[in-house]
Amino acid sequence: GQNIDQPTEMTATEGAIVQINCTYQTSGFNGLFWYQQHAGEAPTFLSYNVLDGLEEKGRFSSFLSRSKGYSYLLLKELQMKDSASYLCAVRPPNFGNEKLTFGTGTRLTIIP
Amino acid sequence: GAGVSQSPSNKVTEKGKDVELRCDPISGHTALYWYRQSLGQGLEFLIYFQGNSAPDKSGLPSDRFSAERTGGSVSTLTIQRTQQEDSAVYLCASSLARESYGYTFGSGTRLTVV
């Protein structure tokens, strides 16, 4: 089975740094995605990790530890527009199967 | 098209009525997915089409739900005899097979059953 855990809500201050954690317990693993979803809009791709380590992309970085079943999304220099839900999703190991399993998402609120 | 298009964007229907939700994926994307997002819940997988293969229907919650994909492109999700618990945002996504950049989602159809 698949189980993905994320905090439900977080609050952070404009200009600061925030880390959103995701832990997973899955019957197989072939990569982890982070998506951003603004209220009333479609989720949009942020990052993809399949190997251990840190992937940096501008203000956003994503980390993966496969042995610990753990990932985090790090957002730096927070802006008000970063207020959104952040979804963690795990990709199954079966070739050709792109059916992702999503966590419930973390609603991030940025305050001035 | 440039993105994944879904219609209608909003649908209010009476309990017991049938509804059809449409998804037009990105041209050339062979894979198409339907997910459901309820308030406070994660995205719930419904059904997955990949090329000419038989669809993966393992996520459909009941036999009131069905989906088809015509000509490898447009897909329609049909919900028969709608119930209040069917109220949710229905999201469609498409992708190239085995693409590492995941899905491109449509903006969704917000279904409200009254």
Side-chain angles (χ1 to χ4, degrees):
Chain A
Q2 316 276 53
N3 187 43
I4 300 175
D5 289 314
Q6 308 178 231
T8 303
E9 295 192 20
M10 298 183 70
T11 302
T13 305
E14 188 178 15
I17 298 173
V18 70
Q19 178 174 310
I20 303 173
N21 295 325
C22 171
T23 58
Y24 61 91
Q25 295 159 340
T26 60
S27 55
F29 178 84
N30 190 28
L32 186 144
F33 290 90
W34 284 95
Y35 285 84
Q36 180 190 59
Q37 186 179 26
H38 286 100
E41 298 183 10
T44 55
F45 169 82
L46 285 179
S47 68
Y48 173 64
N49 294 68
V50 64
L51 300 176
D52 291 350
L54 187 69
E55 295 276 346
E56 297 188 71
K57 192 183 296 185
R59 295 190 300 116
F60 292 7
S61 302
S62 57
F63 172 83
L64 175 66
S65 169
R66 289 172 295 173
S67 62
K68 296 181 179 178
Y70 168 67
S71 174
Y72 67 73
L73 181 68
L74 190 72
L75 291 75
K76 303 176 185 176
E77 302 169 16
L78 287 169
Q79 303 176 9
M80 298 303 291
K81 67 178 181 179
D82 297 330
S83 291
S85 288
Y86 291 85
L87 312 177
C88 170
V90 170
R91 186 187 205 183
N94 303 327
F95 179 82
N97 181 355
E98 298 299 314
K99 183 175 68 178
L100 302 183
T101 300
F102 285 83
T104 55
T106 299
R107 181 178 298 179
L108 175 65
T109 302
I110 309 301
I111 57 175
Chain B
V4 178
S5 177
Q6 291 188 248
S7 60
S9 55
N10 279 284
K11 177 72 175 178
V12 180
T13 189
E14 292 181 352
K15 179 181 174 181
K17 300 283 190 183
D18 297 352
V19 295
E20 284 190 354
L21 312 180
R22 177 187 167 104
C23 173
D24 200 344
I26 292 175
S27 178
H29 279 192
T30 57
L32 186 147
Y33 316 80
W34 284 96
Y35 283 80
R36 178 167 71 173
Q37 188 173 35
S38 304
L39 191 63
Q41 303 293 318
L43 271 70
E44 176 190 3
F45 168 77
L46 297 177
I47 189 168
Y48 161 47
F49 296 90
Q50 173 57 58
N52 295 321
S53 303
D56 178 350
K57 304 179 183 180
S58 60
L60 295 178
S62 77
D63 58 9
R64 296 187 296 105
F65 288 72
S66 63
E68 63 177 20
R69 187 179 185 192
T70 54
S73 181
V74 172
S75 177
T76 303
L77 177 69
T78 301
I79 308 174
Q80 296 178 311
R81 306 181 302 281
T82 52
Q83 305 294 313
Q84 288 186 328
E85 61 263 28
D86 299 335
S87 296
V89 176
Y90 289 81
L91 288 166
C92 175
S94 69
S95 74
L96 292 169
R98 297 295 291 180
E99 181 189 272
S100 65
Y101 292 97
Y103 304 158
T104 301
F105 281 93
S107 296
T109 295
R110 181 176 297 277
L111 176 66
T112 304
V113 182
V114 298

